Each structure stands twice: as C-alpha cells, then as structure tokens.
C-alpha cells in the first residue's frame, strides 16, 4: 500500500497534466484513427464496388422511383452491330474466370428511366411484365451477382423485347451510357419482336456495338452462329392457359392451320389442300363476327363455326407454323404446348435454341415452295415416329418455352456452356425428357447405375482360326496398363482353340469363350466374364494398334448392341456376316449425336495372314453389301445418325521432338 501510494504521489511530477481542451483533441483523434483501422479491416472482407451492389428488385413503386436519366441530344450512338462477332473476337472470356461451380456471373443494371432532352421517354411502354419476370428469374438464379466487379455478363434493365415500343436512336444512346458498356463487350440484349414496318428486319434495329443478342426472329443472314442465341417468341396465350398434357397418338384432324393474317398466296395454297383432303385438314382464321379484344384472340373460326384457341390445337397431329410479317411466330409456342407436331414453313428461320435442341425430333421443317406437297410429306412419316415427336414437342415447351424464366435461364445456360465447354450439358441432357422410354434405343443414362466390379477395361478379341495373328494382337494388348482381363471369343465350332501352354504369357487373366454359332455379333455380347465398365472390342487381325493408342480411350456399348439394337439389324448382320462395325457406329452416333474421333495419323492396314481365300473383305460382294447395310440401317433408324467428322485427337507431345520419358504416349503412330 505504501509503495502504491508513493508511486501515485510521484506520477503527476513525471507526466504533466494535459489541459482539458488538448485532452479532448487527442482522444477524438485517436478515436478517428481507430475507427478508420476497423473500417479498413472490414472492407478487406466486404464486397465493394464503385457501383450499386443492391440486388435487382422491382415492384410498382420502384418503377416510378427509379432515377431519371436525361439523354443529351449529342449523346454517342453505338455502331450498328458487327456481323463478324464471335465468342473469341467480341467476348472477353477472361472476365468470367474460374469458379468451382462453372457458372457465369450475371449482373443486372439498376432500373433507370431514360428520357430525351424534352423529357420524352425512350419507350412507350416502359418495363413490360414479361421482361420484369425474366429479370426477376435471373436475379433468383445461381447465375446472378449483385457485385459488378465479379460479373462476366451484363444485362441492361432497358426493355428491348418489342421494338415497336422503342425509339431506336434514343435507346441506342441509353445503352451507350451504361457504366460498363465498353462497346457492348459482354453485354446481353433480349429481343423477341425485331424490326418494324415495312421491312420487318429479322434482328433488332437498335445499334448495339458488340453486344450479344438473344433474338426471336433471326434468319441465316442476321444470325451470328455461336454468338447470338435464337430464342422463342413468348406466347401469353400459352402461359395464361394451362392445357392438360394429352397422350400421343392419332387425333381428330391430321393437319391444322390456325394462324391469322398469313399471306394470301399461302392461304390460297392451304385452301387447295383443304379441297383435296377434306376433313383431314382444318383451316381456321380470325372470327369476323366477334368484337376485337382478348376474347377474340382466344377464338378461331371456319365457315361460321367457332373454336377455342389454343385448345383446338390438341385435336390435330400436325399444326402448320407459317412465316408472317416476322419469321418468329408465337404460334410455335402454342403448338408445342398442345403436343401437336409443328410443321414449320419459314425459309432461313433459325429455330429457337437450335444450338442445343434437335428439332428433327419434335418438328417437320418444309421449304415454303413445297407447301403444296405438305400432305404427302407428312403422310410418309411412320405413326410411331409421329407419337415420339408429339411427346418431344410437349416436353420442349415445358422445359424451354413455358415461361419467361425458362427462356431467360435457357439462354444463360447456352452461353455458360460456351464459356465452360468441359462442364457443358450433353446432347442427351438438352434433348432427352427425363423419364421417357424411347421406342428405338435407350441412352446409357437410363441404364441401371451399377458400379463396375473391377477397374480398367476388358479386351474382347473375336477370332476364328488365325492363330499367329491372334497371338500378336493379344501380346500387344497385354502391354496396356489399364487392361484388366482379356477375353478371346472363339467363333469356330469345328476347331478347338490352342492348348493353354501355347498361349502368350501375360500378367492379366485370359479367358477363352467358345460360341455355339459363328456370328459376328458375338463380339458385342455382354459376357459374364466382363467385369469392367469399359470394353475394347477388336478382331484378331487388327495388329497395327500400339499399347499407347489403346490406352488413349475406350467406351462401353455392348449392352445396347445386344439387347437394344432397333429393328432386325442384329439378325441382318449375322445373316450377311458383314457390317457389325457399321451397326455399332450407327448405334453410338444415334445415342450420343456425335461423330467418331480420329486418333493419330493414318497408317496402312497390315494383315500378313489375310488372303483371297479367307479374307471377308476381299470378296467382290463385300463392299456392295456394306453399302446395302448403310441403306438398311438408315431405314430402320428412320434417319442417318452417322456424322461427318473433321477433327483428329492427338495426345500432347506425341510427335514433338521431346525426350521419350517426357511423353505420356511415346508409341502412338509408331507402326
């Protein structure tokens, strides 16, 4: 206590007491510095931007409360639009960067009201309900970001869906005033009704620099392949009326035309078809005895008889979709919702989302000059195929056409797939309804999800009696690191396979399976000995492959070939002893929608044991039969699934002058 008291008594003598006003000053200064340090630390972990980061929201009062932006008369106007733009020339993919979810980030500009110097708005309608619904859906999606510095794609809150409501020049000036415009780089504009009278251009007339355009009326002349996105013209009739799904099958009418205001020449041709085919074709038009309005838009008439629209569309197998003043027609959406197969006659029209959707599965496209042959063309389509197209048409509507949300998010997913191609949706994911069982073949995605019992792949070698060649093949295959088992399919019922001691020595199991009949399809049978997910099917005379080439890639389709091959293709192959390889290519191309991959350089076929006596390929009828096979298989599949390919995959460094130990596949192309 004494020491404490002594220290306290000496303190004032060592530290002079501050005057009150100085003490207040230093305390205030210290507080400001402390708050500054705290704020600096917080902002290291807080999203920050020079622009507003508030989420994009809209309701009735915020439309009127949005900031008013006056456009000076001399405001800059963007360029008309670069038709040469592609993703690699007019889009900065580096802005998107890498993220674990492989999703682009989309920023929506805050709502603003643009007016000219006289205070006149740039749009006569402001923000439509449809555009509001789309922006709200994007805002609620995993694509959205409120932080402009993280954005890969920018969407203006300026409604461009209907060009008829826009002042073209002033709208372009408003776009150029956007804070991140930068010649339209990485900006996406949505437009469904382009052009205007009398020309009705097929793309938005608003100058837009390098911006991407999601347009509803593109032609082959205005569509920038792989850059723009063709979208449907939204149909309020389809959205406001819920049509129950109807089972595929025959309908009351074979062909139905329900569009109004179509060109008189097309109307005359349809009238002629009606006269020739009677009740099979129903030709509707606008009802002249009804007052104009919302009620009349839901009615169609034929000779005084009134039909409810779009309900009447469900009563026909095929529904005509003709070009009007614009290429894109809202009638397409109505037809799809009804599960009616659209018959599209609009030359040069880019169908909605055709970058990813296979419209051959859901529609029939006929040149306008062939309108007179429409009935004959449609009659040639098999009933089963019509049913599948009806089912696919309805599913296209549900997945991609049914709402502004579906249209907007599908557009973003297409752009996302371009930017992250390694994580893109597959053909099957875009085009296969999730629970539909197709009449021909099923996608491997629908097979039971059974994990493989062993890693690696199984090599299945089909042989008859070419022992020397067989041994060379399996010796080379045995060098492949991923080989798990080798199965030799002995297709000769009159001769026994060699004794076990004569076979080449190898480190993996070798199993010889003797077949009951000499069939080429035996090479694709899912033998119980196969315990791996991947299978290499190869003949005993394919000796030009190296171990590295075999290691490079393989896939599994034996189950589909044996049990799901459509029609009588497998029997045809077995009867003709030919074309099993073509059949497998048809099957794989039909399922995947993809062409084969050519790996490494072309090499001469080598088969020292092949002679004119035992070589099937040397028979004079061999190539003739293979041509017949292609025609036969195409007729069974109902289409030609084989794809032309101009791509070749070469493993990195395989041909470059590098030390062998640095190469993953040094022996590719060595033979």
């Amino acid at each position: 206590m004494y020491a404490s008291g002594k220290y306290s008594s000496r303190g004032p003598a060592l530290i002079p007491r501050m005057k009150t006003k100085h003490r207040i000053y230093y305390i205030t200064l210290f507080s400001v510095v402390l708050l500054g340090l705290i704020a600096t630390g917080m902002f290291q972990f807080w999203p920050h931007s020079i622009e507003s980061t508030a989420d994009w929201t809209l309701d009735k009062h915020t439309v009127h409360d949005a900031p008013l932006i006056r456009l000076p008369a001399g405001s800059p106007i963007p360029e008309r639009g670069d038709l040469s733009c592609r993703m690699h020339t007019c889009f900065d993919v580096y802005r998107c960067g890498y993220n674990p979810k492989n999703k682009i980030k989309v920023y929506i500009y805050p709502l603003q009201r643009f007016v000219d110097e006289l205070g006149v708005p740039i749009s006569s309608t402001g923000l439509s309900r449809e555009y509001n619904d789309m922006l709200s859906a994007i805002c609620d999606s995993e694509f959205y970001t409120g932080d402009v510095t993280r954005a890969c794609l920018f969407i203006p809150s300026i409604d461009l869906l209907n060009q008829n409501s826009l002042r073209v020049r002033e709208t372009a000036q408003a776009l150029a005033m956007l804070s991140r415009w930068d010649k339209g780089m990485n900006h996406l504009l949505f437009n469904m009704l382009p052009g205007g009278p009398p020309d009705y251009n097929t793309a938005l007339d608003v100058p837009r620099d390098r911006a991407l355009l999601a347009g509803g009326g593109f032609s082959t002349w205005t569509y920038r392949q792989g850059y723009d996105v063709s979208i449907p013209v939204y149909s309020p009739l389809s959205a406001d009326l819920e049509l129950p799904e109807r089972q595929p099958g025959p309908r009351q009418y074979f062909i139905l035309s329900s569009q109004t205001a179509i060109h008189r020449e097309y109307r005359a041709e349809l009238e002629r078809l009606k006269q020739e085919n009677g009740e099979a074709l129903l030709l509707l038009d606008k009802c002249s005895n009804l007052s104009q309005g919302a009620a009349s838009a839901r009615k169609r008439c034929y000779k005084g008889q009134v039909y409810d629209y779009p309900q009447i569309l469900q009563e026909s197998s095929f529904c005509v979709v003709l070009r009007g003043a614009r290429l894109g027609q809202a009638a397409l959406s109505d037809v799809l919702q009804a599960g009616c197969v659209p018959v599209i006659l609009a030359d040069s029209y880019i169908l909605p989302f055709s970058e990813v959707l296979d419209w051959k599965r859901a529609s029939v496209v006929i040149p306008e000059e062939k309108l007179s042959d429409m009935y004959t063309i449609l009659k040639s389509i098999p009933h089963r195929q019509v049913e599948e197209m009806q089912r696919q048409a309805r599913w296209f509507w549900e997945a991609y056409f049914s709402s502004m949300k579906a249209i907007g998010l599908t557009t973003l997913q297409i752009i996302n797939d371009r930017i992250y191609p390694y994580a893109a949706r597959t053909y099957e994911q875009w085009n296969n309804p999730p629970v539909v069982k197709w009449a021909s073949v099923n996608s491997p995605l629908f097979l039971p999800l059974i994990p493989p019992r062993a890693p690696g792949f199984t090599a299945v070698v089909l042989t008859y009696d070419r022992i020397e060649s067989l041994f060379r093949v399996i010796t080379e295959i045995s060098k492949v690191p991923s080989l798990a088992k080798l199965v030799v399919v002995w297709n000769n019922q009159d001769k026994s396979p060699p004794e076990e001691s004569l076979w080449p020595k190898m480190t993996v199991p070798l199993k010889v399976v003797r077949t009951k009949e000499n069939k080429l399809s035996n090479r694709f049978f899912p033998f119980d000995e196969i315990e791996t997910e991947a299978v290499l099917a190869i003949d005993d005379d394919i000796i030009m492959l190296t171990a590295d080439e075999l290691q490079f890639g393989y896939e599994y389709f034996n189950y589909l070939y044996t049990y799901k091959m459509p029609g009588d293709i497998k029997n045809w192959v077995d009867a003709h002893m030919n074309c099993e390889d073509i059949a497998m290519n048809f099957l794989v191309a039909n399922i995947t929608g993809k062409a084969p991959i050519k790996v490494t350089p072309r090499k001469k076929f080598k088969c020292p044991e092949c002679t004119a006596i035992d070589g099937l390929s040397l028979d004079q009828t061999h190539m003739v039969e293979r041509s017949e096979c292609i025609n036969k298989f195409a007729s069974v599949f109902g289409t030609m699934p084989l794809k032309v390919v101009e791509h070749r995959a070469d493993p990195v460094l395989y041909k470059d002058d590098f030390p062998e130990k640095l190469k993953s596949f040094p022996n590719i192309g060595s033979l």
Side-chain angles (χ1 to χ4, degrees):
M1 294 295 294
Y2 176 77
S4 177
K6 183 178 180 181
Y7 179 83
S8 298
S9 65
R10 294 181 61 187
L14 296 176
I15 304 176
R17 185 180 299 276
M18 294 183 185
K19 293 183 180 180
T20 302
K21 63 178 183 179
H22 291 161
R23 185 167 63 251
I24 295 174
Y25 170 78
Y26 283 110
I27 291 173
T28 303
L29 179 62
F30 175 77
S31 300
V32 171
V33 172
L34 180 62
L35 289 174
L37 291 174
I38 294 173
T40 302
M42 290 178 61
F43 276 99
Q44 294 297 320
F45 306 97
W46 194 270
H48 56 283
S49 168
I50 60 173
E51 300 181 32
S52 170
T53 59
D55 285 350
W56 195 95
T57 56
L58 177 69
D59 53 42
K60 291 296 182 182
H61 70 271
T62 56
V63 174
H64 303 289
D65 296 341
L68 189 68
I69 307 298
R70 193 174 299 274
L71 300 170
S75 295
I77 299 177
E79 296 293 328
R80 178 67 184 87
D82 189 350
L83 285 176
S84 66
C85 271
R86 298 297 183 268
M87 292 297 289
H88 64 281
T89 59
C90 295
F91 192 94
D92 183 8
V93 296
Y94 297 105
R95 180 185 289 276
C96 304
Y98 167 79
N99 63 77
K101 294 185 177 180
N102 297 311
K103 290 292 182 184
I104 59 175
K105 291 300 179 182
V106 180
Y107 176 79
I108 301 174
Y109 283 95
L111 185 65
Q112 296 173 321
R113 293 183 297 153
F114 290 93
V115 298
D116 63 14
E117 285 190 325
L118 300 177
V120 180
I122 64 172
S123 171
S124 60
T125 58
L127 196 73
S128 65
R129 184 188 70 176
E130 288 79 12
Y131 197 53
N132 173 37
D133 290 346
M134 177 183 289
L135 295 184
S136 298
I138 295 173
C139 180
D140 293 335
S141 74
E142 57 186 340
F143 294 109
Y144 178 76
T145 179
D147 184 356
V148 71
T149 63
R150 297 179 58 210
C152 162
L153 193 65
F154 303 88
I155 299 179
S157 56
I158 303 171
D159 187 349
L160 306 174
L161 289 180
N162 185 353
Q163 185 178 313
N164 288 341
S165 65
L166 302 176
R167 299 169 65 190
V168 172
R169 175 186 174 86
E170 289 74 11
T171 302
Q173 290 175 322
L175 291 175
M177 288 190 67
L178 297 174
S179 58
R180 299 278 173 146
W181 181 248
D182 188 24
K183 295 290 185 181
M185 187 79 74
N186 290 46
H187 280 67
L188 174 63
L189 312 179
F190 285 91
N191 168 253
M192 287 184 176
L193 299 178
D199 298 327
Y200 288 102
N201 292 335
T202 58
L204 181 69
D205 286 329
V206 176
R208 54 188 183 277
D209 280 331
R210 298 178 176 180
L212 291 86
L213 181 60
F218 282 120
S219 73
T220 53
W221 298 100
T222 55
Y223 178 66
R224 295 173 292 185
Q225 183 75 33
Y227 192 67
D228 293 325
V229 180
S230 180
I231 63 174
V233 178
Y234 179 70
S235 174
L237 292 178
S238 296
D240 295 341
L241 179 66
E242 184 175 350
L243 290 180
E245 185 174 0
R246 181 164 177 175
Q247 289 299 315
R251 308 283 171 87
Q252 180 179 355
Y253 304 103
F254 184 63
I255 303 174
L256 185 149
S257 173
S258 61
Q259 288 174 265
T260 62
I262 61 177
H263 196 278
R264 60 179 180 274
E265 292 183 6
Y266 296 144
R267 175 69 63 179
E269 192 61 52
L270 290 172
E271 292 282 4
R272 188 188 65 79
L273 287 172
K274 169 69 176 173
Q275 293 175 0
E276 292 178 355
N277 301 288
E279 298 300 319
L281 192 150
L282 179 61
L283 182 57
L284 303 178
D285 202 350
K286 182 165 46 177
C287 299
S288 58
N289 56 345
L290 297 178
S291 59
Q292 298 299 317
S296 64
R298 295 185 177 277
K299 301 293 182 181
R300 295 291 187 273
C301 290
Y302 177 70
K303 292 186 176 180
Q305 187 172 354
V306 181
Y307 298 86
D308 291 328
Y309 181 88
Q311 293 92 327
I312 185 59
L313 297 174
Q314 288 192 309
E315 303 301 323
S316 183
S317 297
F318 295 95
C319 294
V320 179
V321 180
L322 273 163
R323 72 154 68 226
R326 294 184 174 92
L327 275 177
Q329 295 290 313
L332 177 59
S333 184
D334 297 336
V335 169
L336 293 175
Q337 185 193 22
C340 185
V341 179
V343 183
I344 302 170
L345 297 102
D347 293 354
S348 79
Y349 177 44
I350 303 296
L351 287 167
F353 304 134
S354 55
E355 182 175 337
V356 294
L357 300 188
D358 187 351
W359 279 96
K360 297 189 298 296
R361 294 172 58 169
S363 69
V364 180
V365 179
I366 299 177
E368 295 174 23
E369 64 178 13
K370 297 290 185 180
L371 176 58
S372 59
D373 300 326
M374 177 176 63
Y375 186 86
T376 303
I377 293 172
L378 299 181
K379 269 297 184 182
S380 66
I381 302 176
H383 294 299
R384 179 174 294 182
Q385 184 177 347
V386 173
E387 292 178 3
E388 292 183 356
M389 295 170 77
Q390 290 171 335
R391 186 182 294 111
Q392 188 78 1
R394 172 74 183 200
W395 184 73
F396 270 8
W397 180 83
E398 292 175 348
Y400 308 115
F401 285 68
S402 58
S403 65
M404 293 300 295
K405 174 181 178 180
I407 295 171
L409 297 187
T410 300
T411 302
L412 295 185
Q413 185 62 51
I414 290 174
I415 297 173
N416 194 91
D417 285 2
R418 297 174 184 170
I419 295 172
Y420 301 108
Y422 51 88
R425 299 183 70 187
T426 64
Y427 171 90
E428 291 78 17
Q429 289 172 317
W430 279 111
N431 291 280
N432 284 358
V435 293
V436 170
K437 293 183 178 179
W438 299 99
S440 55
V441 293
N442 292 338
S443 166
L445 298 177
F446 300 137
L447 296 179
L449 298 178
I450 303 175
R453 288 171 285 174
F457 73 94
T458 301
V460 179
V461 184
L462 182 70
T463 188
Y464 191 76
D465 62 359
R466 292 185 291 216
I467 306 300
E468 181 181 349
S469 176
L470 169 66
F471 285 178
R472 291 183 61 185
V473 169
I474 63 177
T475 299
E476 192 64 35
I477 294 176
S478 66
K479 301 175 184 177
V480 182
S482 296
L483 180 67
K485 181 183 290 186
L486 204 152
V487 176
V488 175
V489 181
W490 190 264
N491 233 13
N492 190 338
Q493 289 75 46
D494 300 326
K495 182 178 179 180
S496 299
E499 296 181 5
E500 182 177 351
S501 60
L502 300 177
W503 290 79
K505 304 299 180 183
M506 55 186 60
T507 58
V508 298
L510 186 150
K511 176 71 173 180
V512 179
V513 179
R514 301 190 66 175
T515 61
K516 295 180 180 179
E517 296 181 78
N518 181 20
K519 294 182 178 180
L520 289 179
S521 295
N522 288 337
R523 68 183 294 185
F524 297 129
F525 188 85
F527 297 102
D528 292 338
E529 288 77 10
I530 300 174
E531 298 178 325
T532 58
E533 185 177 18
V535 176
L536 167 69
I538 191 169
D539 281 342
D540 59 2
D541 55 3
I542 308 300
I543 61 175
M544 79 290 292
L545 292 173
T546 68
D548 279 347
E549 290 167 343
L550 295 176
Q551 179 71 10
F552 191 59
Y554 42 82
E555 287 196 30
Y556 177 59
F557 285 98
N558 290 20
Y559 178 92
L560 295 177
Y561 184 97
T562 302
Y563 296 112
K564 297 296 182 179
M565 181 69 77
D568 61 344
I569 288 179
K570 201 156 73 71
N571 293 334
W572 171 283
V573 169
D574 294 334
H576 290 75
M577 292 295 289
N578 203 344
C579 303
E580 83 285 1
D581 52 342
I582 297 178
M584 178 60 85
N585 274 279
F586 263 77
L587 179 70
V588 175
N590 186 59
I591 292 171
T592 65
K594 300 181 184 300
I597 299 176
K598 173 69 170 68
V599 181
T600 75
R602 180 193 305 271
K603 296 190 290 286
K604 293 183 178 180
F605 182 82
K606 300 178 181 180
C607 181
E609 294 186 61
C610 295
T611 67
I613 298 176
D614 59 2
L616 288 174
S617 61
L618 297 180
D619 192 301
Q620 292 184 354
T621 64
H622 181 76
M623 292 306 297
V624 176
E625 284 188 349
R626 291 177 72 80
S627 297
E628 293 177 359
C629 287
I630 293 177
N631 295 331
K632 166 69 177 179
F633 299 166
S635 66
V636 172
F637 276 86
T639 185
M640 170 52 74
L642 299 183
K643 306 286 184 180
V644 177
V645 62
E646 298 180 0
H647 172 76
R648 191 185 80 186
D650 292 320
V652 177
L653 304 181
Y654 97 92
K655 199 175 181 181
D656 294 331
D657 187 17
F658 277 82
E660 293 296 305
K661 63 181 180 180
L662 297 180
K663 299 183 180 182
S664 298
F665 304 98
N667 288 323
I668 285 185
S670 61
L671 294 180

